[in-house]
Amino acid sequence: MTDTPSPTHTPFPDLPGLLATQRAACRAEPMPSEARRREWLGALQRFLHDHRGALCEAIARDYGHRSHHETLLTEVMPALKEVEHALSHLRAWMKPRRRGVDRIAFGLARNEVIPQPLGVVGVIVPWNFPVNLSFGPLAVILAAGNRAMVKMSENSRALAALLVKEMPAYLPTDVLAFVDETGGVGPAFSQLPFNHLLFTGSAPTGRAVMASAARNLCPVTLELGGRSPALVCPDFDLRLAAERILYTKCLNAGQICTTVDHVFVPRDRVQDFVAMAREIVPARYASLESRDYTSIISPTAWRRLVDALDEAQASGATVIPLLPGAARDEAGHRLAPHVVVDAPADCALMQREIFGPILPVIGYDAIDTVVDTINASPHPLAFYPFTHDQRLLQSLLERVMSGGVSVNDALFHVAQSELPFGGVGESGMGHYHGPEGFATFSKLRPVFHQARWATTGLLAPPYGRRVEQLIEFIMPRRKRT
């Protein structure tokens, strides 16, 4: 294990210089071989194994406290899984794909699609899962043959110092360069003329990033979050739903873009859900000081959550802390998990993504009302229906649009390497993970191969009866629908 370097004042990074270096490397090796890409992915794999302890320590320092087990489970292991998946499928992903050809019009011609690298990809990483959300995308970015520049968050200074210091021993900066946020780096980074830009973060910042990228006609993939709801249907076991929802809500102290933001429960079962929550959470975390429970990332974020709780309570909501003893620790910016019942519709908890360990519980009488309520808001990044009724489930999937879905659980669709991950509408655009990620960071280049003898020569001027007959022969026929 390498000692975690301390974040110190560093000069503003030479972003144009780094980009120029990587562009030159792309020109020198425009189509990296499979062996080269395996070498790059292997380097990511070795780095994660060699520095797993240092990564856990750095992230814990950035948070104030975070369990090493939680970092291994939610960051290091998923990142290694993405790299492993890319290595397993790389050869198949890289193969040219044969496409059909209209034999009547083009005879013996041939079509194919060749996946080729885009060039240099920029990645802007949030603080909540900084290893997962940098190395996960890097698995498919490098598998696709690109170079990458990765800008870390201002809340990930210890981790950024480690990455900037140690990664060049595994991959040179003309392949992969990590950039620390020293102040003002983010806007300058998003204005660079990348070949593709991936941003994970809030919707307001995403709009600014997209506007900056638009000046360079740089395509973007945006992962923006949103108020992801869970819906417990009457047929589903309430205790099991509570256990699964609260596991997700307490993980990383709720600081997950795909966590359950709020839950809809049959109105006559709301108090049962609250009682179960008061049993489930203390069985997992004995108190606010539990070493398994994560701090809120910063005093500013802690204050925002506390103010939202106080506002809801002052407006008539019932606010219930779920741990014995103190519920707030301002010095350590820790906040106990809470459920909130009868939160007013116009309070902060019900108007914006919570991004913390607070779970509004909303009673409902009819599922159609829940669907209307969800659809009245921007599309969420995730939707979590709990039901064994397949007809009801199909109806919910058709009527409620979201970026992704986990059925009878929460969060775990994100952990599936074969499923694309991405939002829709205000929760984001574009996908990565697995084959969709490889496609996102590739130019799927269409190539038409003309045959030695081509029918198109028969269609050249001067036009006359012969050409008219050929056109009629080639023209698609009207078909019954």
Side-chain angles (χ1 to χ4, degrees):
M1 181 179 108
T2 304
D3 290 338
T4 305
S6 299
T8 57
H9 177 73
T10 53
F12 198 90
D14 180 13
L15 299 176
L18 278 174
L19 180 59
T21 297
Q22 293 202 349
R23 284 207 184 285
C26 290
R27 288 192 295 271
E29 191 179 14
M31 190 70 171
S33 66
E34 180 188 341
R36 174 73 76 183
R37 300 182 201 196
R38 288 189 180 278
E39 176 187 320
W40 293 347
L41 292 170
L44 294 183
Q45 205 172 47
R46 290 195 306 278
F47 179 89
L48 289 168
H49 279 295
D50 291 350
H51 295 275
R52 54 190 277 181
L55 292 168
C56 291
E57 180 60 33
I59 291 172
R61 289 179 60 192
D62 286 327
Y63 267 86
H65 175 74
R66 197 217 235 173
S67 161
H68 286 202
H69 295 97
E70 198 157 273
T71 296
L72 291 172
L73 282 170
T74 63
E75 302 234 49
V76 178
M77 185 174 69
L80 282 167
K81 289 284 189 183
E82 290 300 316
V83 175
E84 180 182 57
H85 187 263
L87 283 166
S88 297
H89 293 82
L90 181 60
R91 181 166 299 171
W93 290 348
M94 288 181 65
K95 285 182 178 178
R97 299 123 191 235
R98 293 293 295 269
R99 295 292 175 89
V101 66
D102 183 341
R103 294 297 177 198
I104 294 176
F106 297 102
L108 299 177
R110 179 166 57 89
N111 286 333
E112 66 177 345
V113 173
I114 301 175
Q116 292 187 312
L118 293 174
V120 180
V121 177
V123 185
I124 300 177
V125 181
W127 51 262
N128 61 330
F129 291 104
V131 170
N132 189 337
L133 295 175
S134 54
F135 283 80
L138 283 172
V140 285
I141 289 169
L142 298 185
N146 301 289
R147 270 71 177 176
M149 292 172 57
V150 183
K151 191 207 80 76
M152 305 304 290
S153 167
E154 68 275 10
N155 289 321
S156 299
R157 299 300 308 282
L159 177 63
L162 172 67
L163 294 170
V164 170
K165 178 183 177 184
E166 302 294 343
M167 183 53 75
Y170 293 77
L171 284 171
T173 54
D174 65 355
V175 174
L176 174 61
F178 282 93
V179 176
D180 192 4
E181 176 55 83
T182 58
V185 175
F189 191 92
S190 63
Q191 292 168 18
L192 293 173
F194 292 113
N195 299 105
H196 196 104
L197 182 60
L198 168 63
F199 168 81
T200 305
S202 69
T205 306
R207 289 185 175 91
V209 168
M210 189 172 182
S212 295
R215 298 189 187 103
N216 297 310
L217 295 180
C218 174
V220 295
T221 297
L222 303 178
E223 306 299 348
L224 303 179
R227 301 181 63 240
S228 299
L231 167 57
V232 183
C233 297
D235 71 289
F236 197 86
D237 181 84
L238 188 65
R239 177 80 187 201
L240 182 58
E243 289 173 350
R244 292 177 177 179
I245 289 167
L246 289 163
Y247 171 81
T248 300
K249 192 63 176 181
C250 294
L251 191 68
N252 207 42
Q255 298 166 107
I256 309 176
C257 60
T258 47
T259 194
V260 176
D261 185 85
H262 51 283
V263 58
F264 293 93
V265 175
R267 192 175 305 279
D268 62 354
R269 303 298 309 278
V270 167
Q271 293 307 317
D272 292 337
F273 185 95
V274 171
M276 292 171 185
R278 300 181 78 167
E279 296 172 1
I280 292 165
V281 174
R284 295 171 177 170
Y285 309 97
S287 71
L288 191 58
E289 289 73 37
S290 169
R291 292 191 57 79
D292 295 327
Y293 190 63
T294 297
S295 297
I296 305 303
I297 187 64
S298 68
T300 302
W302 184 89
R303 175 51 57 188
R304 176 183 64 79
L305 292 168
V306 167
D307 288 348
L309 276 175
D310 291 345
E311 178 204 19
Q313 190 164 37
S315 301
T318 302
V319 174
I320 305 163
L322 298 178
L323 292 180
R328 302 177 180 184
D329 173 11
E330 184 171 6
H333 39 98
R334 286 191 174 199
L335 179 65
H338 288 68
V339 292
V340 179
V341 180
D342 296 327
D346 60 351
C347 74
L349 291 178
M350 302 303 294
Q351 289 293 314
R352 57 179 293 180
E353 185 179 10
I354 294 170
F355 221 72
I358 302 168
L359 181 66
V361 182
I362 306 167
Y364 72 87
D365 299 306
I367 286 178
D368 285 348
T369 304
V370 176
V371 170
D372 291 342
T373 300
I374 296 172
N375 287 339
S377 299
H379 297 318
L381 184 56
F383 174 46
Y384 301 124
F386 287 77
T387 181
H388 297 299
D389 184 332
Q390 292 304 305
R391 291 181 65 183
L392 174 58
L393 175 61
Q394 188 60 36
S395 173
L396 291 170
L397 292 176
E398 291 173 357
R399 297 165 65 196
V400 177
M401 175 58 73
S402 66
V405 181
S406 287
V407 177
N408 296 338
D409 213 326
L411 183 64
F412 290 113
H413 67 286
V414 180
Q416 310 308 310
S417 296
E418 281 291 326
L419 289 181
F421 173 65
V424 60
E426 289 198 23
S427 61
M429 64 178 67
H431 294 96
Y432 67 93
H433 281 196
E436 282 79 9
F438 185 87
T440 291
F441 299 114
S442 298
K443 167 58 182 174
L444 300 181
R445 196 173 183 187
V447 180
F448 170 77
H449 297 266
Q450 185 59 279
R452 183 182 297 273
W453 183 85
T455 56
T456 51
L458 300 175
L459 298 173
Y463 299 127
R465 179 63 180 163
R466 174 177 53 82
V467 172
E468 290 176 4
Q469 290 174 335
L470 280 171
I471 289 174
E472 287 302 317
F473 179 70
I474 295 171
M475 187 77 68
R477 302 291 184 263
R478 180 181 298 176
K479 295 183 179 180
R480 290 182 180 179
T481 58

